Short mmCIF file of all heavy atoms in Angstrom, two decimals:
data_model
loop_
_atom_site.label_atom_id
_atom_site.label_comp_id
_atom_site.label_asym_id
_atom_site.label_seq_id
_atom_site.Cartn_x
_atom_site.Cartn_y
_atom_site.Cartn_z
N ASP A 64 77.76 11.54 -176.26
CA ASP A 64 79.22 11.82 -176.24
C ASP A 64 79.74 11.99 -177.64
O ASP A 64 80.47 12.90 -177.90
CB ASP A 64 80.03 10.68 -175.50
CG ASP A 64 79.82 9.33 -176.23
OD1 ASP A 64 78.78 9.12 -176.87
OD2 ASP A 64 80.71 8.49 -175.96
N ARG A 65 79.31 11.25 -178.62
CA ARG A 65 79.70 11.31 -179.99
C ARG A 65 79.22 12.63 -180.73
O ARG A 65 79.84 13.13 -181.46
CB ARG A 65 79.42 10.13 -180.72
CG ARG A 65 80.18 8.85 -180.38
CD ARG A 65 80.04 7.68 -181.30
NE ARG A 65 78.59 7.39 -181.43
CZ ARG A 65 77.96 6.38 -181.48
NH1 ARG A 65 78.72 5.16 -181.38
NH2 ARG A 65 76.70 6.20 -181.65
N LEU A 66 77.91 12.93 -180.44
CA LEU A 66 77.37 14.08 -181.01
C LEU A 66 78.15 15.34 -180.58
O LEU A 66 78.36 16.28 -181.38
CB LEU A 66 75.89 14.21 -180.55
CG LEU A 66 74.90 13.20 -181.15
CD1 LEU A 66 73.55 13.25 -180.52
CD2 LEU A 66 74.83 13.19 -182.64
N ILE A 67 78.41 15.51 -179.27
CA ILE A 67 79.21 16.55 -178.83
C ILE A 67 80.64 16.55 -179.33
O ILE A 67 81.20 17.51 -179.79
CB ILE A 67 79.23 16.67 -177.30
CG1 ILE A 67 77.85 16.91 -176.72
CG2 ILE A 67 80.23 17.70 -176.81
CD1 ILE A 67 77.71 16.74 -175.20
N GLY A 68 81.19 15.34 -179.36
CA GLY A 68 82.60 15.11 -179.77
C GLY A 68 82.87 15.48 -181.26
O GLY A 68 84.00 15.93 -181.55
N ARG A 69 81.87 15.35 -182.05
CA ARG A 69 82.03 15.77 -183.41
C ARG A 69 82.31 17.18 -183.68
O ARG A 69 82.88 17.56 -184.69
CB ARG A 69 80.75 15.33 -184.28
CG ARG A 69 80.60 13.86 -184.48
CD ARG A 69 79.43 13.64 -185.43
NE ARG A 69 79.08 12.27 -185.29
CZ ARG A 69 77.79 11.73 -185.27
NH1 ARG A 69 76.86 12.62 -185.30
NH2 ARG A 69 77.65 10.48 -185.13
N ARG A 70 81.85 17.95 -182.76
CA ARG A 70 81.91 19.53 -182.90
C ARG A 70 82.94 20.11 -181.95
O ARG A 70 83.35 21.23 -182.12
CB ARG A 70 80.53 20.14 -182.68
CG ARG A 70 79.41 19.68 -183.57
CD ARG A 70 79.25 20.37 -184.83
NE ARG A 70 79.38 21.75 -184.93
CZ ARG A 70 78.49 22.60 -184.71
NH1 ARG A 70 77.20 22.21 -184.50
NH2 ARG A 70 78.70 23.96 -184.75
N SER A 71 83.30 19.35 -180.93
CA SER A 71 84.19 20.00 -179.82
C SER A 71 85.67 19.78 -180.16
O SER A 71 86.13 18.76 -180.79
CB SER A 71 83.85 19.20 -178.46
OG SER A 71 84.67 19.74 -177.53
N ARG A 72 86.48 20.74 -179.72
CA ARG A 72 87.91 20.70 -179.88
C ARG A 72 88.48 19.93 -178.60
O ARG A 72 89.67 19.51 -178.50
CB ARG A 72 88.54 22.09 -180.04
CG ARG A 72 88.25 22.71 -181.14
CD ARG A 72 88.84 24.03 -181.18
NE ARG A 72 88.17 24.98 -182.21
CZ ARG A 72 87.24 25.76 -181.93
NH1 ARG A 72 86.82 26.04 -180.62
NH2 ARG A 72 86.61 26.54 -182.78
N LEU A 73 87.58 19.73 -177.70
CA LEU A 73 87.98 19.03 -176.39
C LEU A 73 87.66 17.62 -176.47
O LEU A 73 86.67 17.22 -177.10
CB LEU A 73 87.13 19.62 -175.19
CG LEU A 73 87.27 21.13 -174.92
CD1 LEU A 73 86.18 21.59 -174.00
CD2 LEU A 73 88.62 21.40 -174.35
N PRO A 74 88.41 16.68 -175.83
CA PRO A 74 88.03 15.36 -175.76
C PRO A 74 86.66 15.18 -174.99
O PRO A 74 86.50 15.79 -174.02
CB PRO A 74 89.16 14.57 -175.00
CG PRO A 74 90.08 15.74 -174.65
CD PRO A 74 89.65 16.99 -175.08
N VAL A 75 85.85 14.27 -175.50
CA VAL A 75 84.50 14.10 -174.96
C VAL A 75 84.31 12.55 -174.76
O VAL A 75 84.59 11.84 -175.78
CB VAL A 75 83.37 14.72 -175.87
CG1 VAL A 75 82.00 14.38 -175.33
CG2 VAL A 75 83.63 16.14 -176.16
N SER A 76 83.80 12.13 -173.67
CA SER A 76 83.47 10.81 -173.40
C SER A 76 82.53 10.59 -172.33
O SER A 76 82.26 11.50 -171.53
CB SER A 76 84.77 10.05 -173.16
OG SER A 76 85.30 10.31 -171.85
N PHE A 77 81.81 9.51 -172.27
CA PHE A 77 80.94 9.13 -171.11
C PHE A 77 81.91 8.99 -169.93
O PHE A 77 82.99 8.43 -170.06
CB PHE A 77 80.23 7.79 -171.38
CG PHE A 77 79.06 8.05 -172.37
CD1 PHE A 77 78.78 7.18 -173.49
CD2 PHE A 77 78.05 8.96 -172.05
CE1 PHE A 77 77.83 7.37 -174.31
CE2 PHE A 77 76.87 9.16 -172.80
CZ PHE A 77 76.81 8.36 -174.00
N ALA A 78 81.49 9.50 -168.81
CA ALA A 78 82.24 9.38 -167.56
C ALA A 78 82.27 7.94 -167.11
O ALA A 78 81.35 7.21 -167.29
CB ALA A 78 81.69 10.29 -166.52
N ALA A 79 83.34 7.59 -166.44
CA ALA A 79 83.44 6.25 -165.86
C ALA A 79 83.54 6.51 -164.35
O ALA A 79 84.21 7.44 -163.73
CB ALA A 79 84.70 5.48 -166.36
#
Side-chain angles (χ1 to χ4, degrees):
D64 62 332
R65 289 190 310 225
L66 293 172
I67 295 171
R69 286 183 196 143
R70 303 274 316 269
S71 177
R72 291 179 204 98
L73 302 164
V75 180
S76 64
F77 283 125

